[in-house]
Amino acid sequence: MASARIVPYDPGWPVLADEWLSRIETALSGVPGAGSFVYEHIGSTAVPGLAAKPIIDLQLRAPTLPEVVPVTVALDGLGLSRALGSRPDSPGVHADIPRPGTSAARHEKLLFHRPAGPGPTSGESEVILHVRLADSPFADFVVAFRDWLRRDEEARREYEALKRALAAEHADAADYDDYTRAKSRFMDAAQGRMGWRTPRGDR
């Protein structure tokens, strides 16, 4: 996936996210189990006022991970391709980094990516789709983290400053795995501040 610079918040991001979620839901309507999928806008572009990379992060939660082939075929028509990471241990590609206090169970995932460029929607933003288990602790955490940043202006400023510093530090990196891991350290510290508790059954 291509790197991108941090830009001021764009109020059009939630609109783009809704468009993409609708199109993805339609594309996956024929995939077994699609009726139980839950679609969400996550990440920095889902936090009003937060500067971010212009990458629309989306999440699909499913009771069980859908089969790879039918999902890949369905999403290919939208320009979303399965992401395999920069290297075998790339974080957040085949599995999320377990949140502190959780087990490694239920962190497996599928990841799909569409690079920035002309497309069928009204915008040309880069899009990432995270396909996670409905009971994934990480899926629960990213929504709680998003909502915390929406509520807490001080935390939002801290996170933005960190992201700007890390983006500059890793601007010439061959991949952004180190950037991702560095952001995870902020999330680890945020867990206690935001009052997030590990989902029942994962402690």
Side-chain angles (χ1 to χ4, degrees):
M1 289 176 277
S3 64
R5 61 190 179 88
I6 302 292
V7 301
Y9 176 77
D10 185 340
W13 286 336
V15 177
L16 280 175
D18 285 345
E19 290 179 359
W20 274 103
L21 289 172
S22 178
R23 298 186 74 248
I24 290 169
E25 184 174 5
T26 298
L28 296 180
S29 61
V31 171
S36 61
F37 295 169
V38 174
Y39 299 87
E40 298 162 303
H41 182 198
I42 59 170
S44 295
T45 60
V47 180
L50 179 63
K53 295 180 181 181
I55 300 172
I56 307 299
D57 270 295
L58 308 173
Q59 176 169 272
L60 184 165
R61 297 202 227 188
T64 60
L65 282 184
E67 294 184 17
V68 174
V69 173
V71 171
T72 301
V73 170
L75 294 178
D76 184 66
L78 301 181
L80 282 158
S81 302
R82 191 176 177 202
L84 300 177
S86 302
R87 51 191 187 232
D89 67 341
S90 289
V93 177
H94 305 291
D96 290 307
I97 300 172
R99 304 305 313 142
T102 70
S103 70
R106 304 195 303 280
H107 281 79
E108 63 267 36
K109 67 185 285 189
L110 302 174
L111 189 67
F112 294 86
H113 174 248
R114 175 192 181 274
T121 71
S122 62
E124 302 179 349
S125 293
E126 186 173 350
V127 178
I128 298 176
L129 174 66
H130 306 259
V131 180
R132 295 178 167 121
L133 293 168
D135 63 353
S136 161
F138 203 97
D140 183 80
F141 175 81
V142 294
V143 172
F145 184 68
R146 175 201 68 189
D147 293 345
W148 176 62
L149 291 176
R150 287 174 173 176
R151 295 189 306 269
D152 193 316
E153 183 178 355
E154 180 181 354
R156 195 161 59 244
R157 287 199 302 265
E158 288 179 25
Y159 190 47
E160 179 175 317
L162 173 67
K163 291 198 306 169
R164 288 186 183 280
L166 291 175
E169 180 181 350
H170 298 287
D172 298 321
D175 63 69
Y176 259 52
D177 288 353
D178 290 338
Y179 172 87
T180 300
R181 290 189 175 97
K183 283 201 308 177
S184 293
R185 288 193 287 273
F186 179 90
M187 294 179 177
D188 292 350
Q191 243 181 238
R193 292 173 61 189
M194 58 193 270
W196 183 78
R197 296 182 179 275
T198 57
R200 181 173 297 179
D202 200 65
R203 300 190 180 104

